[in-house]
Amino acid sequence: MSMATLLAAKSTIVAVWFLCFFAAERLVRAAAPPEGSVARLLRNGAMWLLILAASPFIVAPLTAWGVNHVVWTRPESLSSDMLGAAGLIVSLISLDLWTYWLHRAYHRVPAMWRLHEIHHRDEFLDTTSAVRFHLGEVILSALLRLIPIALLATPISTVIIFEALVLCAAIFHHSNLRIPPNFEGPLSRLIVTPSIHWVHHHALKADTDSNYATVLSLWDPMFRSKSPAKRSPEMKIGVEGVEDKGFFRLMLMPFRKADL
Ligand SMILES: [Zn+2]
């Protein structure tokens, strides 16, 4: 499959996935949205637009440079990047593990939290929360991702498949879609579901600093970061003790000394 075809497939799959969940979570809601939710949607949408506009000029060239500067060459048995091949599976699981630890770092390192906090300031969760990130976090993540790309000698096609997987996973686990517990329960043993990730957005520091996994749900129990809390539709979403702000204030917030 050519790179252009893979990129087009990624964009199409993510766009269709997003639209399906965006519509479904409005038809079958888990929690009632707060007042002023249109302003919130516009704010989250503006952050996504900024990322979409900047990524081809920053994230894509960085990644392209990274895959050409790997530290070793994969043996033939792990070189295939076709679906179902061992190389792809090993890479996707490894990148998911990397994303888990990177997410923990965003919560533990104060300078990184200043960027990641913008994502957590959202006071409600739905599909748009999955694309609400400070551009600085997206760029820093792409830069740091060069480490596992180099160490694993990751092919560019695998990185693109992983990006699609992460976006689809994030749209799903941030969504406000009501899912039958007898379906979500078994599913959450394998992948991160809204019942797991909404606890990560609970406006209570102990819960915010837990449940870091993105795709596979095993990392939190494995590394002892799973919160015992159960999600409830009434739980307050956001960052404990602070409020959400307007788009421009959020964009400037990581670079200002005083908290706004
Ligand atoms: Zn987080």
Side-chain angles (χ1 to χ4, degrees), residues 4-254:
T5 311
L6 203 55
L7 278 171
K10 175 198 157 191
S11 304
T12 308
I13 289 168
V14 171
V16 170
W17 185 267
F18 179 87
L19 289 172
C20 287
F21 276 90
F22 187 85
E25 70 186 354
R26 273 149 190 84
L27 295 171
V28 190
R29 297 190 315 205
E35 296 287 320
S37 55
V38 174
R40 179 187 153 267
L41 288 181
L42 291 175
R43 184 157 58 237
N44 291 0
M47 287 191 220
W48 193 15
L49 278 180
L50 190 60
I51 292 166
L52 287 175
S55 287
F57 305 102
I58 306 171
V59 176
L62 254 181
T63 308
W65 181 87
V67 296
N68 289 318
H69 291 81
V70 296
V71 296
W72 60 296
T73 306
R74 287 188 178 208
E76 192 57 36
S77 58
L78 286 176
S79 66
S80 172
D81 54 21
M82 298 303 289
L83 278 174
L88 179 66
I89 303 297
V90 169
S91 296
L92 294 180
I93 294 173
S94 305
L95 287 171
D96 191 41
L97 175 60
W98 168 265
T99 307
Y100 166 85
W101 283 105
L102 182 65
H103 191 184
R104 270 184 89 145
Y106 271 112
H107 280 251
R108 293 302 160 111
V109 180
M112 293 173 77
W113 171 250
R114 291 180 77 86
L115 290 169
H116 188 56
E117 184 182 358
I118 308 307
H119 173 64
H120 276 272
R121 286 264 183 147
D122 205 352
E123 291 173 346
F124 187 68
L125 290 179
D126 63 11
T127 50
T128 68
S129 311
V131 292
R132 171 200 164 113
F133 284 93
H134 194 285
L135 179 61
E137 177 174 348
V138 175
I139 294 170
L140 181 61
S141 298
L143 196 62
L144 293 172
R145 194 177 58 181
L146 298 182
I147 298 168
I149 286 175
L151 293 177
L152 295 163
T154 315
I156 186 77
S157 54
T158 301
V159 178
I160 294 170
I161 292 169
F162 184 69
E163 285 175 344
L165 184 67
V166 163
L167 276 164
C168 288
I171 288 164
F172 170 61
H173 64 227
H174 285 95
S175 79
N176 186 31
L177 180 64
R178 181 150 45 83
I179 306 168
N182 56 2
F183 175 69
E184 187 171 5
L187 188 64
S188 68
R189 291 177 175 274
L190 179 66
I191 62 167
V192 179
T193 60
S195 67
I196 294 174
H197 197 73
W198 275 56
V199 172
H200 179 67
H201 282 267
H202 187 197
L204 184 73
K205 179 120 174 61
D207 279 345
T208 305
D209 291 342
S210 67
N211 295 13
Y212 298 108
T214 300
V215 180
L216 297 174
S217 57
L218 81 166
W219 307 125
D220 285 298
M222 185 181 285
F223 298 113
R224 299 177 181 276
S225 55
K226 180 93 166 76
S227 168
K230 292 265 176 284
R231 174 199 182 187
S232 77
E234 303 79 28
M235 69 175 11
K236 188 174 178 337
I237 298 295
V239 179
E240 189 176 358
V242 291
E243 294 179 329
D244 199 7
K245 301 288 179 190
F247 174 76
F248 292 105
R249 291 180 76 175
L250 288 169
M251 289 298 98
L252 291 173
M253 202 191 288

